[in-house]
Amino acid sequence: MKVLVTGAAGFIGFHVASRMLVDGHDVLGYDGVTPYYDVTLKRRRLERLLDSDGFSFSEAMLEDKLALESAATEFEPDVIIHLAAQPGVRYSLEAPEAYVSANLVGTFNLLEIAKQVKPRHLLIASTSSVYGANETTPFRETERTDFPISLYAATKKACEAMTHSYAHLWKVPTTCFRFFTVYGPWGRPDMALFKFVSAILDGEAIDVYGEGQMQRDCTHVDDLVEGVVRLIDTVPREGSPVEDESVTDSLSPVAPWRVVNIAGGKPVGLLDFIEAIEAATGKKARKNLLPMQKGDVTTTFADPSLLKALTGFVPSTPVSKCAQDFIEWYLSEYDAG
Ligand SMILES: NC(=O)c1ccc[n+]([C@@H]2O[C@H](COP(=O)([O-])OP(=O)(O)OC[C@H]3O[C@@H](n4cnc5c(N)ncnc54)[C@H](O)[C@@H]3O)[C@@H](O)[C@H]2O)c1
């Protein structure tokens, strides 16, 4: 199979592309290697991928429609996995333009190209942040997501809607994943696990927002990749909802399109999460308890029933293992230079 992975220099894109290569597929990575965080880390992920014969790479922005078009039409992918985006809730308050550009214009360009190359399945990353101010937990795909509380969430919600219209008009079968907080080796420096580990190891205090009362449904990146891989072969078809009466499918009534949570449905409190890091590092954290930050939600909590009904799989790796695996990588590869 030929798989186009956008965002291949990124945390999740690197892991998805690596798994596709191990499974014997040809992968074209497409990434603008943006300076949102340590570019050296992105380059090191790419070096790893380029060790595989099955991997080729095109370095360009999603906004460069000609570059994207020529890369995609030449490669003729069977499957497109669209992970490139401007992520991060907090940065969307500082640099909103980056979200409009990468997530809206970038995804629009990708959809125009998908319309031409007609992959058998387009899969695209969305986020638990689209559940926004929802108070009903666990979060189900069929609930309203009309109240985003950050521009990041709003652009991701817009991506879900844009892909639906293209799936309807041009019959490109599309699955939107809603990822929850994803952790593991090669992780993102702007996310809590990375920030906490590096501060704790350096003996610095950590900033704990929401006075430590926030909860996150965390997913080990290996579990996330397993969910992604299983969904590749679960191509949505109009009029063919999942055969499990206990689950409400998010399948569109007018398009080969669905949205699926990928998470275990086991939220962890922030203070328990910090304890897991303390246990794995053998060091005590000094905590600055701070109020909630604008745009953040207090709890994310997935209902994984649809994922389970579609793929037979639910992420189950505990957060302690996410912390251990991350720290092992951090000490042996990242911090060691
Ligand atoms: N990591 C998580 O916990 C999480 C949670 C929810 C959703 N997501 C989503 O999953 C996807 C992957 O996230 P990640 O954690 O790997 O982030 P990441 O920042 O590590 O990876 C994104 C990649 O996209 C590239 N990119 C950004 N803007 C681009 C543009 N305009 N053109 C070309 N390339 C561009 C970056 O260089 C980067 O390598 C994103 O869509 C993100 O919104 C991630």
Side-chain angles (χ1 to χ4, degrees):
M1 196 162 71
K2 291 207 262 176
V3 188
L4 168 60
V5 179
T6 74
F11 167 43
I12 295 174
F14 163 73
H15 283 281
V16 168
S18 303
R19 169 68 186 270
M20 293 281 95
L21 291 164
V22 167
D23 290 352
H25 304 297
D26 283 340
V27 176
L28 170 65
Y30 188 96
D31 197 301
V33 194
T34 65
Y36 168 59
Y37 63 76
D38 184 5
V39 168
T40 320
L41 174 56
K42 295 185 182 182
R43 296 259 172 237
R44 281 165 64 184
R45 294 184 187 124
L46 283 173
E47 275 167 29
R48 282 284 173 109
L49 292 172
L50 285 161
D51 281 344
S52 286
D53 290 340
F55 185 75
S56 50
F57 182 61
S58 180
E59 181 168 339
M61 298 295 281
L62 294 167
E63 292 86 333
D64 185 345
K65 197 171 176 185
L66 282 180
L68 186 57
E69 189 172 14
S70 81
T73 49
E74 200 175 301
F75 184 64
E76 297 182 330
D78 303 300
V79 168
I80 300 178
I81 308 180
H82 178 42
L83 303 169
Q86 177 57 56
V89 168
R90 290 173 195 166
Y91 188 62
S92 69
L93 277 77
E94 277 172 50
E97 294 82 3
Y99 294 76
V100 171
S101 177
N103 302 358
L104 299 184
V105 178
T107 300
F108 162 71
N109 286 343
L110 186 100
L111 285 171
E112 278 291 296
I113 285 148
K115 182 173 110 183
Q116 278 182 53
V117 299
K118 288 223 172 291
R120 78 175 168 82
H121 198 179
L122 166 66
L123 303 104
I124 161 167
S126 185
T127 166
S128 59
S129 299
V130 300
Y131 290 108
N134 280 22
E135 283 182 352
T136 314
T137 53
F139 298 156
R140 287 202 181 90
E141 295 87 345
T142 45
E143 273 159 26
R144 288 178 72 181
T145 49
D146 299 324
F147 309 111
I149 59 169
S150 67
L151 186 73
Y152 168 60
T155 59
K156 286 292 188 173
K157 165 80 182 163
C159 289
E160 292 183 1
M162 292 194 297
T163 59
H164 182 270
S165 68
Y166 273 66
H168 169 70
L169 292 168
W170 311 109
K171 304 294 168 212
V172 180
T174 303
T175 297
C176 298
F177 319 112
R178 287 189 186 147
F179 297 156
F180 287 59
T181 308
V182 186
Y183 284 132
W186 298 93
R188 263 171 44 199
D190 61 321
M191 292 182 67
L193 180 58
F194 202 120
K195 290 206 264 192
F196 288 172
V197 167
S198 82
I200 292 170
L201 291 175
D202 290 348
E204 290 165 8
I206 56 171
D207 289 340
V208 181
Y209 293 102
E211 314 280 346
Q213 299 309 305
M214 289 195 280
Q215 293 196 314
R216 290 288 178 269
D217 205 337
C218 300
T219 313
H220 192 293
V221 70
D222 291 348
D223 281 350
L224 184 95
V225 170
E226 185 63 33
V228 167
V229 167
R230 289 181 186 224
L231 283 168
I232 291 173
D233 291 329
T234 314
V235 183
R237 294 194 203 294
E238 246 178 283
S240 299
V242 68
E243 286 171 14
D244 180 339
E245 281 168 13
S246 67
V247 174
T248 314
D249 199 341
S250 59
L251 186 72
S252 163
V254 292
W257 180 99
R258 68 157 62 85
V259 57
V260 187
N261 290 335
I262 306 189
K266 298 229 163 33
V268 175
L270 189 47
L271 297 178
D272 293 333
F273 176 61
I274 294 167
E275 267 182 30
I277 300 172
E278 290 174 329
T281 53
K283 288 195 167 192
K284 206 83 192 132
R286 285 190 294 120
K287 306 185 216 48
N288 289 329
L289 294 183
L290 297 167
M292 285 286 286
Q293 287 201 310
K294 272 191 165 174
D296 264 347
V297 298
T298 37
T299 300
T300 64
F301 182 176
D303 182 338
S305 313
L306 180 58
L307 175 68
K308 181 156 191 220
L310 290 167
T311 66
F313 173 75
V314 174
S316 61
T317 306
V319 74
S320 54
K321 175 86 170 113
C322 297
Q324 277 165 18
D325 287 356
F326 174 81
I327 290 162
E328 203 178 300
W329 165 79
Y330 183 90
L331 291 173
S332 65
E333 303 232 19
Y334 187 76
D335 211 27

